[in-house]
C-alpha cells in the first residue's frame, strides 16, 4: 500500500517519478518524428507500425479493466499516464501509416486507370497495391479509434478525480466544537492504539528475525552520510558555490540570481540525499521491515519537501546575507518572517509523516478526521501569524512614511485582504464540520506561498541571465556582432524576447502546478499530454501546423535571410563598385535586389511549411480587394517608389524643390523619399507625391548652378563702366566659373533708368546663394566708390513746399 500525502504536498511525490514523466513527455514530443525512422520501420514499416498499434490497443484495454476496480490517487495517475502513452503511440502510428498510404496512392496513380487489355503483371501489381491500401486504411482507422478511446479513458479518469475532489470538499462531519466529535475520537482510541502497537510489534519482530548477530555497518554508514549531507556538507557546498560566483560570474545581478538558485538546489538535494542514504542503509543492512518501507519512503519525501520549503524561503529572505537578497525586502522584514518560514517547513514535514502513518497503520476514520482538523488549524494559525506580521510591518513603514512601502501597499494590501478572507472562510468551515474543505484551503495558501516564492526566484534568474548573456557588451554579444555582423540592438532585443518568452512559459507551468495537486486540470500529465498533442500538429486548410514545421519554417526563413544578406554584401561591396553606375543607380539596384531576395526567402519559408505557390497566389488574390481599398495609399506609394527606382527622375544627391521646400535627396525607398532641408531637418515625402505632382529638380540635366543679378542705374550713367564693374565682380568671386563665361545685358531703358540683367554660373546650385551674396557685396562697394546710384525703383518721390517753386 502506497502512502497518501496531503494535497499541497503531493507535488513532492512527483519527484519520485519525475524521470518517468519526463521520458513520457519526450516520447510524446518526438514520437511522430522517431517512429518512421527506426530500423525495424525501415525494414517493414507497415508491419512494425501495425504491431505498435496492437500494443497500444492492448495497453488501453488493460487501463479499461483497471478502471473497473477501486483505485487510489497514485494508481489513477499511473493509469492516466499509461493511457496517454498509448494514445501517443496510436496516433503516431496512424500518422506514419498515412504517409505509407500516400506512397501507395502515388504508385496506383502511376499505373493509371485499369483497362480491359492491360498486361497480367500490371494487373497483379494493381491488385497487390489495392490490398495494401485496404490494409493500411483499416489500420489507420484502428489507430484513430484507439486515440479516441484513449481520450475517453483519460476524460473518465479526470472526471473521477474531480468527483473525488468534490466529495472531499463537500463532505461534512460533526463539528470539532461538538461533544459527538470528540466522543467518536476517544471511543476509537483503544482500537487505534492496538493497531499502532501491532504495527510496531510486527516491525520489531521482523527486525529480530532478520538480525544475524553482525554489526549493522550499512545502517551506521547510511546514518553518518545522511547527517553529514544534511549539515556540514550542505553548508560547505553552499559557501563553495558562493565563492565561485564571486570570482567568475558576470555581473552582480547574475551572481545574486545564481546564488539564490544554488542555495535552493543544495538546500533541497543535500537533505533529500541524506534521508535517502539513511533509508537505504537500513535496507542494505536488512533491518528494514517490509511494512515500514512505505513509512520511511514518506520520511524521504517529507525531508525533501520540508528542505525545499526552507531553502526557497531562505533564498527569498536572505536574512544573514542582505547584500545577496533578490527580493525588495528590508532586514526587519526578513528577520521577522524567517522563523515563520521554518515553522512552515516543519509543519509540511509533520503533515506528510502524519498522513502517511495514518494511512499505513490503518487507524480509524475518527482519528483521521481529527488529524486533518489539527493540520488545518495549525496551517490557519501559521497563515494568520504570517499575515499579522505583514500587517505590523506595513503599519511601521506607514508610520515612517517609507516610499517603497507606499508604492507597493496597494497590491500587498489587496493580497493580504484576500488571504484574510480565505483564512476566515476556512476557519468557519472547520468549525462547521467541513474539515476537508478547510484543510484544502489552508494547504492551497501554503502551497501557493511556497510555489510563488520558487517561481519568483526563477523569473528573476531567467531575466537576469538572459539579459546579461545576450547583450551587446557581453562575450556572446561581442561574438555575434563581430563574427556574424548582428547589430548590437538586435542582440539586446533577442535577450529581452528570450527573457519574456521563458518567463511566460514559467508562469504557465506554475499555474498548472498551482491547481494540479487539488484535482484540477489533470496535473503535470495533462500538460505533457497537451504538449504531445501539440507536437503532432493540427490540420488547418490542408496544411499540418506543428512545432516541428513551424521550427522548420523559421529556420528556412533565417537561412534565406542570411543568404540574402551575404548576397547583398557581395553586391554592394564587390559588384556594384565595378560598374559604371553612380550612387543613385547602385542604390536602386541594391533596393530592388534586397526586396526580391526577401520575397524569395519568405516564399521558401512558406514552401517549407507545405504552402505551395498556388496557395500563396490564392491568398494574394483573396487579399487583393482589401489591398485595393484598405491599403490603397500604401500600394500607390509602393508602386511610385518602384517607378522612381526604375525611371530615376530623382536620384540620391539631387537638389529638388517640392512645393515651398527645397533640399537634397538623401534616401529613396519603396514607400517614401527623404529630403534634407537647409536647416538640416528631414522632409519625408510619399513617393506618390513625387510622381503625380510637379517637382523642380535643379540637378537632373546639369550639375551647374546659375546666378542672376538685376539692378538699374540712372540714364546718365556710363553703361560700359557699369558693365565692367559687374564683370570684374564676377571674376573676383572664386565660385563663379569661367566657362560658361559671365554675361551682362541691358534689359531695358525705361522711366529714366537703365535696367541691367547679369548672369554667371557656379559648379553646383548649392553654391549659387553664397556666390550671389558675395557679388552683391562687391557691387555695392564699387558703385559707392564710383558714385553710381543703383536701384530698382524707376521713379523718385520729392516733397515740395507750397511757397517754393518746383526744381
Amino acid at each position: 500500500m502506497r502512502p497518501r500525502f496531503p494535497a499541497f504536498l503531493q507535488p513532492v511525490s512527483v519527484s519520485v517519478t519525475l524521470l518517468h514523466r519526463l521520458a513520457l513527455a519526450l516520447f510524446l514530443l518526438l514520437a511522430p518524428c522517431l517512429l518512421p525512422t527506426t530500423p525495424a520501420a525501415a525494414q517493414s514499416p507497415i508491419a512494425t507500425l501495425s504491431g505498435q498499434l496492437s500494443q497500444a490497443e492492448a495497453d488501453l484495454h488493460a487501463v479499461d479493466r483497471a478502471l473497473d476496480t477501486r483505485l487510489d490517487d497514485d494508481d489513477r495517475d499511473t493509469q492516466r499516464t499509461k493511457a496517454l502513452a498509448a494514445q501517443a503511440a496510436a496516433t503516431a502510428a496512424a500518422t506514419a501509416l498515412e504517409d505509407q498510404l500516400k506512397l501507395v496512392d502515388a504508385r496506383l496513380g502511376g499505373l493509371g486507370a485499369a483497362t480491359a487489355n492491360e498486361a497480367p503483371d500490371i494487373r497483379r501489381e494493381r491488385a497487390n497495391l489495392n490490398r495494401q491500401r485496404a490494409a493500411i486504411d483499416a489500420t489507420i482507422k484502428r489507430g484513430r479509434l484507439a486515440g479516441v478511446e484513449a481520450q475517453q479513458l483519460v476524460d473518465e479518469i479526470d472526471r473521477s478525480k474531480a468527483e473525488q475532489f468534490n466529495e472531499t470538499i463537500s463532505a461534512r462531519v460533526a463539528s470539532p466544537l461538538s461533544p459527538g466529535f470528540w466522543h467518536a475520537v476517544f471511543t476509537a482510541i483503544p482500537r487505534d492504539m492496538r493497531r499502532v502497537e501491532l504495527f510496531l510489534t510486527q516491525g520489531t519482530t521482523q527486525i529480530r528475525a532478520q538480525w544475524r548477530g553482525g554489526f549493522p555497518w550499512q545502517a551506521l554508514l547510511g546514518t553518518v552520510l545522511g547527517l553529514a549531507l544534511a549539515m556540514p556538507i550542505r553548508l560547505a557546498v553552499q559557501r563553495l558555490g558562493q565563492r565561485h560566483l564571486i570570482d567568475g560570474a558576470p555581473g552582480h545581478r547574475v551572481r545574486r540570481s545564481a546564488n539564490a538558485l544554488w542555495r535552493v538546489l543544495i538546500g533541497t538535494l543535500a537533505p533529500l540525499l541524506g534521508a535517502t542514504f539513511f533509508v537505504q542503509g537500513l535496507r542494505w543492512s536488512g533491518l528494514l521491515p517490509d511494512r515500514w518501507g512505505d513509512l520511511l519512503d514518506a520520511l524521504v519525501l517529507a525531508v525533501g519537501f520540508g528542505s525545499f520549503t526552507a531553502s526557497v524561503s531562505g533564498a527569498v529572505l536572505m536574512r544573514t546575507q542582505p547584500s545577496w537578497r533578490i527580493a525588495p525586502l528590508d532586514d526587519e522584514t526578513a528577520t521577522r518572517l524567517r522563523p515563520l518560514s521554518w515553522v512552515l517547513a516543519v509543519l509540511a514535514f509533520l503533515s506528510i509523516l502524519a498522513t502517511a502513518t495514518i494511512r499505513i497503520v490503518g487507524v480509524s476514520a475518527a482519528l483521521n478526521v481529527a488529524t486533518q482538523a489539527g493540520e488545518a488549524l495549525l496551517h490557519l494559525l501559521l497563515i494568520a501569524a504570517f499575515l499579522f506580521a505583514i500587517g505590523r510591518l506595513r503599519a511601521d513603514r506607514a508610520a515612517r512614511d517609507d516610499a517603497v512601502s507606499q508604492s507597493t501597499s496597494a497590491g500587498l494590501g489587496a493580497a493580504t485582504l484576500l488571504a484574510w478572507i480565505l483564512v476566515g472562510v476556512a476557519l468557519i468551515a472547520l468549525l462547521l464540520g467541513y474539515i476537508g474543505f478547510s484543510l484544502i484551503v489552508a494547504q492551497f495558501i501554503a502551497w501557493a506561498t511556497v510555489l510563488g516564492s520558487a517561481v519568483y526566484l526563477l523569473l528573476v534568474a531567467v531575466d537576469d541571465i538572459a539579459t546579461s548573456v545576450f547583450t551587446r557588451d557581453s562575450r556572446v554579444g561581442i561574438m555575434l556582432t563581430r563574427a556574424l555582423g548582428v547589430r548590437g540592438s538586435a542582440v539586446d532585443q533577442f535577450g529581452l524576447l528570450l527573457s519574456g518568452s521563458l518567463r511566460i512559459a514559467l508562469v504557465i507551468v506554475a499555474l498548472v502546478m498551482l491547481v494540479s495537486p487539488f484535482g484540477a486540470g489533470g496535473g503535470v500529465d495533462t500538460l505533457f499530454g497537451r504538449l504531445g498533442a501539440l507536437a503532432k500538429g493540427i490540420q488547418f486548410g490542408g496544411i499540418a501546423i506543428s512545432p516541428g514545421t513551424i521550427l522548420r519554417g523559421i529556420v528556412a526563413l533565417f537561412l534565406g535571410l542570411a543568404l540574402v544578406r551575404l548576397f547583398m554584401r557581395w553586391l554592394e561591396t564587390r559588384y556594384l563598385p565595378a560598374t559604371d553606375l553612380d550612387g543613385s543607380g547602385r542604390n536602386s539596384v541594391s533596393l530592388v535586389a534586397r526586396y526580391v531576395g526577401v520575397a524569395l526567402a519568405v516564399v521558401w519559408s512558406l514552401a517549407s511549411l507545405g504552402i505551395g505557390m498556388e496557395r500563396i497566389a490564392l491568398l494574394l488574390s483573396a487579399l487583393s480587394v482589401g489591398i485595393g481599398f484598405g491599403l490603397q495609399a500604401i500600394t500607390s506609394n509602393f508602386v511610385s517608389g518602384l517607378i522612381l527606382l526604375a525611371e530615376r527622375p530623382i536620384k540620391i544627391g539631387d537638389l529638388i524643390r517640392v512645393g515651398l521646400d527645397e533640399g537634397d535627396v538623401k534616401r529613396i525607398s519603396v514607400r517614401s523619399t527623404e529630403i534634407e532641408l537647409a536647416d538640416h531637418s528631414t522632409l519625408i515625402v510619399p513617393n506618390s507625391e513625387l510622381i503625380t505632382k510637379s517637382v523642380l529638380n535643379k540637378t537632373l540635366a546639369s550639375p551647374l548652378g546659375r546666378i542672376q543679378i538685376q539692378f538699374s542705374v540712372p540714364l546718365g550713367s556710363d553703361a560700359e563702366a557699369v558693365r565692367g564693374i559687374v564683370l570684374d565682380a564676377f571674376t573676383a568671386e572664386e565660385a563663379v566659373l569661367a566657362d560658361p563665361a559671365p554675361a551682362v545685358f541691358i534689359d531695358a531703358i525705361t522711366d529714366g533708368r537703365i535696367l541691367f540683367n547679369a548672369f554667371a554660373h557656379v559648379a553646383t546650385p548649392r553654391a549659387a546663394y553664397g556666390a550671389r551674396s558675395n557679388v552683391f557685396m562687391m557691387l555695392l562697394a564699387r558703385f559707392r566708390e564710383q558714385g553710381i546710384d543703383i536701384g530698382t525703383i524707376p521713379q523718385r518721390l520729392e516733397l515740395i513746399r507750397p511757397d517754393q517753386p518746383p526744381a
Side-chain angles (χ1 to χ4, degrees):
M1 181 180 297
R2 301 180 182 177
R4 184 177 180 182
F5 310 110
F8 85 108
L9 300 174
Q10 288 180 5
V12 182
S13 63
V14 177
S15 61
V16 179
T17 59
L18 182 58
L19 293 178
H20 170 69
R21 296 189 178 184
L22 290 177
L24 170 63
L26 186 63
F27 173 76
L28 294 175
L29 293 172
L30 300 181
C33 301
L34 295 179
L35 288 176
T37 58
T38 56
Q43 297 174 1
S44 180
I46 299 177
T48 303
L49 294 173
S50 179
Q52 181 179 348
L53 180 58
S54 299
Q55 181 62 39
E57 291 175 340
D59 293 340
L60 290 177
H61 292 159
V63 173
D64 191 15
R65 289 193 299 270
L67 293 180
D68 295 335
T69 61
R70 184 177 181 84
L71 302 176
D72 57 10
D73 291 339
D74 293 336
D75 293 335
R76 189 181 292 110
D77 292 338
T78 301
Q79 297 300 326
R80 192 179 188 281
T81 302
K82 190 175 181 181
L84 285 174
Q87 182 186 27
T91 305
T95 303
L97 286 173
E98 288 178 355
D99 297 334
Q100 297 294 328
L101 184 63
K102 292 179 181 178
L103 295 176
V104 174
D105 290 338
R107 295 175 62 184
L108 284 173
L111 294 179
T115 58
N117 55 353
E118 65 181 0
D121 55 345
I122 299 298
R123 187 179 298 108
R124 287 192 300 269
E125 181 68 17
R126 188 189 305 278
N128 185 24
L129 291 175
N130 285 327
R131 286 193 297 270
Q132 291 184 13
R133 191 187 189 286
I136 295 174
D137 185 66
T139 308
I140 291 175
K141 292 178 180 179
R142 285 175 50 204
R144 293 173 180 172
L145 182 61
V148 174
E149 181 181 356
Q151 188 60 45
Q152 292 176 350
L153 292 176
V154 170
D155 293 340
E156 182 180 353
I157 294 174
D158 292 340
R159 284 195 301 270
S160 64
K161 292 178 65 175
E163 292 173 359
Q164 183 179 0
F165 176 76
N166 293 332
E167 292 177 0
T168 302
I169 63 176
S170 60
R172 183 183 180 184
V173 298
S175 172
L177 301 179
S178 64
F181 180 86
W182 298 106
H183 176 73
V185 173
F186 289 126
T187 303
I189 283 180
R191 185 178 298 277
D192 291 333
M193 294 298 297
R194 289 193 296 270
R195 291 176 179 175
V196 172
E197 182 181 1
L198 177 62
F199 176 79
L200 297 175
T201 302
Q202 289 177 348
T204 55
T205 302
Q206 189 173 0
I207 291 176
R208 287 194 297 268
Q210 294 175 352
W211 179 264
R212 295 181 176 85
F215 182 74
W217 61 269
Q218 299 94 336
L220 181 62
L221 179 62
T223 304
V224 172
L225 287 176
L227 293 177
L229 283 170
M231 291 299 296
I233 295 179
R234 176 178 62 85
L235 297 177
V237 173
Q238 285 182 353
R239 288 193 294 267
L240 179 63
Q242 194 175 52
R243 286 198 299 269
H244 178 72
L245 291 173
I246 294 175
D247 297 334
H252 181 62
R253 294 171 54 202
V254 177
R255 283 197 295 268
R256 290 192 313 169
S257 302
N259 178 66
L261 295 182
W262 180 252
R263 286 176 61 94
V264 174
L265 181 63
I266 299 303
T268 303
L269 288 181
L272 182 63
L273 291 177
T276 303
F277 279 129
F278 170 71
V279 174
Q280 287 301 119
L282 295 178
R283 284 197 172 97
W284 291 335
S285 63
L287 298 180
L288 181 62
D290 295 336
R291 195 174 179 186
W292 288 9
D294 291 339
L295 183 60
L296 291 180
D297 290 338
L299 173 65
V300 174
L301 294 177
V303 170
F305 189 80
S307 302
F308 176 75
T309 303
S311 60
V312 166
S313 58
V316 173
L317 298 176
M318 285 288 180
R319 180 175 60 88
T320 59
Q321 295 178 323
S323 61
W324 290 84
R325 187 179 298 142
I326 296 178
L329 302 174
D330 54 14
D331 295 341
E332 183 183 3
T333 302
T335 302
R336 291 191 183 184
L337 296 183
R338 185 55 177 160
L340 297 178
S341 66
W342 281 110
V343 175
L344 178 62
V346 173
L347 183 58
F349 173 81
L350 296 177
S351 297
I352 291 181
L353 283 184
T355 305
T357 301
I358 289 175
R359 183 175 178 82
I360 294 171
V361 174
V363 298
S364 61
L367 183 59
N368 186 16
V369 172
T371 304
Q372 292 181 357
E375 292 180 11
L377 181 60
L378 290 176
H379 278 91
L380 292 176
L381 291 177
L382 177 61
I383 296 170
F386 178 81
L387 295 176
F388 182 75
I390 293 293
R392 288 291 302 273
L393 290 171
R394 291 184 60 205
D396 295 341
R397 288 176 182 170
R400 295 193 302 264
D401 294 330
D402 193 342
V404 177
S405 65
Q406 294 297 328
S407 62
T408 59
S409 60
L412 183 60
T416 304
L417 179 60
L418 178 61
W420 275 117
I421 292 175
L422 291 177
V423 169
V425 171
L427 183 60
I428 294 174
L430 177 63
L431 298 178
L432 293 178
Y434 294 97
I435 308 296
F437 175 78
S438 177
L439 180 60
I440 286 178
V441 171
Q443 291 174 347
F444 178 81
I445 298 175
W447 170 237
T449 303
V450 176
L451 181 63
S453 302
V455 171
Y456 173 76
L457 293 177
L458 287 175
L459 292 177
V460 175
V462 164
D463 182 62
D464 292 344
I465 294 174
T467 55
S468 299
V469 172
F470 292 99
T471 181
R472 67 182 70 190
D473 299 328
S474 64
R475 295 181 180 178
V476 177
I478 294 174
M479 180 189 67
L480 292 175
T481 53
R482 293 181 179 179
L484 301 179
V486 181
R487 298 190 307 273
S489 60
V491 178
D492 297 339
Q493 293 171 13
F494 177 78
L496 294 174
L497 291 176
L498 179 63
S499 171
S501 59
L502 292 178
R503 295 171 80 181
I504 291 174
L506 285 175
V507 171
I508 293 174
V509 174
L511 291 177
V512 175
M513 294 183 64
L514 179 64
V515 298
S516 62
F518 304 95
V524 181
D525 292 337
T526 300
L527 180 61
F528 287 157
R530 291 173 181 174
L531 289 177
L534 180 63
K536 293 190 288 290
I538 58 176
Q539 293 290 331
F540 181 77
I543 302 172
I545 303 297
S546 65
T549 56
I550 294 175
L551 180 61
R552 185 168 63 247
I554 294 175
V555 171
L557 178 61
F558 276 95
L559 182 59
L561 294 178
L563 294 176
V564 171
R565 186 184 184 91
L566 293 176
F567 172 75
M568 293 304 302
R569 183 180 301 175
W570 171 83
L571 181 66
E572 294 174 351
T573 59
R574 298 292 301 276
Y575 179 75
L576 290 179
T579 63
D580 296 332
L581 297 174
D582 56 5
S584 180
R586 296 176 189 178
N587 178 73
S588 301
V589 174
S590 177
L591 280 177
V592 173
R594 178 178 290 109
Y595 283 109
V596 172
V598 171
L600 291 178
V602 173
V603 170
W604 185 21
S605 176
L606 294 176
S608 65
L609 294 175
I611 303 176
M613 289 300 299
E614 66 281 356
R615 295 181 182 272
I616 299 176
L618 181 62
L619 178 62
L620 292 178
S621 63
L623 293 177
S624 60
V625 177
I627 293 175
F629 289 96
L631 305 177
Q632 183 176 3
I634 297 177
T635 305
S636 175
N637 291 324
F638 180 80
V639 175
S640 300
L642 296 179
I643 295 174
L644 289 176
L645 294 175
E647 296 184 356
R648 301 178 63 196
I650 298 173
K651 304 183 295 295
I652 294 178
D654 285 350
L655 179 63
I656 66 173
R657 176 178 293 176
V658 180
L660 300 178
D661 298 308
E662 179 177 304
D664 299 324
V665 178
K666 292 299 182 182
R667 183 174 179 269
I668 301 176
S669 64
V670 294
R671 190 193 67 84
S672 62
T673 297
E674 297 179 5
I675 302 173
E676 184 178 0
L677 303 181
D679 59 353
H680 302 290
S681 62
T682 301
L683 176 66
I684 300 176
V685 182
N687 290 330
S688 59
E689 297 289 327
L690 302 178
I691 294 296
T692 60
K693 294 185 179 180
S694 299
V695 178
L696 176 62
N697 191 338
K698 295 187 175 182
T699 57
L700 177 62
S702 174
L704 298 180
R706 192 186 71 167
I707 298 175
Q708 182 180 9
I709 297 177
Q710 294 177 316
F711 63 94
S712 65
V713 297
L715 186 60
S717 302
D718 187 354
E720 189 64 29
V722 172
R723 180 175 181 274
I725 292 174
V726 176
L727 291 177
D728 292 340
F730 281 145
T731 305
E733 174 58 33
E734 296 179 356
V736 175
L737 300 177
D739 186 21
V744 180
F745 303 96
I746 295 179
D747 191 54
I749 299 175
T750 178
D751 295 329
R753 301 189 70 84
I754 304 173
L755 274 64
F756 284 88
N757 198 356
F759 299 93
H761 292 82
V762 292
T764 172
R766 300 169 184 83
Y769 191 80
R772 184 168 177 263
S773 176
N774 295 334
V775 172
F776 269 130
M777 295 293 291
M778 287 185 286
L779 287 178
L780 289 175
R782 292 293 304 275
F783 287 154
R784 188 178 301 110
E785 294 174 358
Q786 298 294 329
I788 300 175
D789 180 25
I790 65 172
T792 58
I793 302 176
Q795 295 88 13
R796 183 169 57 187
L797 178 64
E798 295 182 0
L799 297 178
I800 302 174
R801 290 183 296 178
D803 56 348
Q804 180 181 357

